Each structure stands twice: as structure tokens, then as C-alpha cells.
Amino acid sequence: MAPRAQTGSGRLSRGLLLLWALLGTGVCHTGTEEEGFGQDARTSPPTAMYNWTAQLMEETYTNITQKCWEFFVELMRNVTASELCEWKVISRPYSFLQACLENWADHLRYGYPNALAEQYIFQSHHRYFHNCTLEHQVYFDPPEDVLLAMIIAPICLIPFLVTLVIWRSKDGKAQP
């Protein structure tokens, strides 16, 4: 047998190393989930997280949330001052703002709730809903001792009423 010459074994290992580095940083991922990594395995996927990546993600999320806010403000321009406290009117823009902030945070794997999203939610309340007061009386649960009495009284009354019905039906007289 003739000896084989090593052709490109150094290039092969460098290529595999480059592929591993690209897969580890997420450059080659196309939205697929890694299997075998998670809380059950108590391990994490091999990733190379650099500060510039976190800063880029935070900057991207900041820019996107600003667009979410601008669209929310645009939707709120259609709401009159008298309608600002009516949930039927404001639920669509408010829910859109919340969903936009949450979905983009999930998409970027930024984490939700986060300080920036909370800031926009607080800003919306301060700007649009700070004068909303409750027009209807709010009902609260009674104190525990009153609640307990309201529950136990009918339960204790039932055996007494059953005994009374049985006792009254034993007199033997036919009812017309």
C-alpha cells in the first residue's frame, strides 16, 4: 500500500472550528431550536456572548420600542378626551402597545417585563390615563369573620329546616 499524503487536515479542523464558532454565536441559526439544551439538562448551549452583542440587542430593542410608542401615540390621537377612560375605546391601542413591547422582547430574547417596557407603560398611564377615576363603586370582600358567618349560617340552618319538615310531615294528616 502506498502511503497517503495528508491533504488539508489542518484546513478541515480550522473549518470545523469556524463552523462551531458560527453556530455557537447564532450567526448560522435560522430560527431553529437547539435540542438537548435547557433547564432539564442543566446546561446551556455553547455561545460566545460579547458585550457588543448585548449592546446591539439593547439598542435594537430601544429603537423598536420607540416605534411601538409612536404607533400607540398615533392610535391615541383618534381618542377624544371624554373617551380616555373607557376601556372599550382604549383597549385596542393599549393592548397593541403591550403586545408590541412583549413580542419584540421575546423575539430578541431580551426578557419581558423589562425596565424599558415598564417605562413606556408608565408613560402611557401618566400621559393619557392619569385623570381616570372610578365612576362606579368598587365592591370589596367583607372581612373574614363576616364572610365566615355568612357561609356557616346557611349551612347550619339546613339541618334545622330538614328536621322541621320531617317533624311536621309525621302528624299523619292528609294535606288537601
Side-chain angles (χ1 to χ4, degrees), residues 67-101:
K67 298 296 181 191
C68 294
W69 174 254
E70 289 170 2
F71 190 70
F72 171 74
V73 170
E74 186 65 32
L75 290 174
M76 291 303 288
R77 283 191 183 132
N78 298 327
V79 179
T80 64
S82 63
E83 296 175 327
L84 278 178
C85 296
E86 293 182 30
W87 180 247
K88 291 178 183 178
V89 177
I90 63 165
S91 66
R92 182 175 168 262
Y94 187 82
S95 297
F96 174 80
L97 175 64
Q98 182 182 2
C100 184
L101 296 171

Side-chain angles (χ1 to χ4, degrees), residues 18-61:
L18 179 62
L19 180 63
W20 177 79
L22 290 175
L23 287 174
T25 59
V27 173
C28 290
H29 292 275
T30 57
T32 59
E33 292 289 326
E34 296 88 15
E35 294 180 12
F37 296 109
Q39 291 181 353
D40 294 336
R42 303 214 184 260
T43 59
S44 60
T47 59
M49 184 61 101
Y50 301 107
N51 285 340
W52 63 268
T53 306
Q55 290 173 351
L56 182 64
M57 181 175 55
E58 187 171 343
E59 185 178 324
T60 302
Y61 185 66

Side-chain angles (χ1 to χ4, degrees), residues 133-151:
T133 58
L134 297 173
E135 295 176 7
H136 304 289
Q137 184 179 4
V138 178
Y139 297 107
F140 295 102
D141 288 338
E144 286 187 29
D145 54 344
V146 174
L147 185 64
L148 188 61
M150 291 172 67
I151 292 172

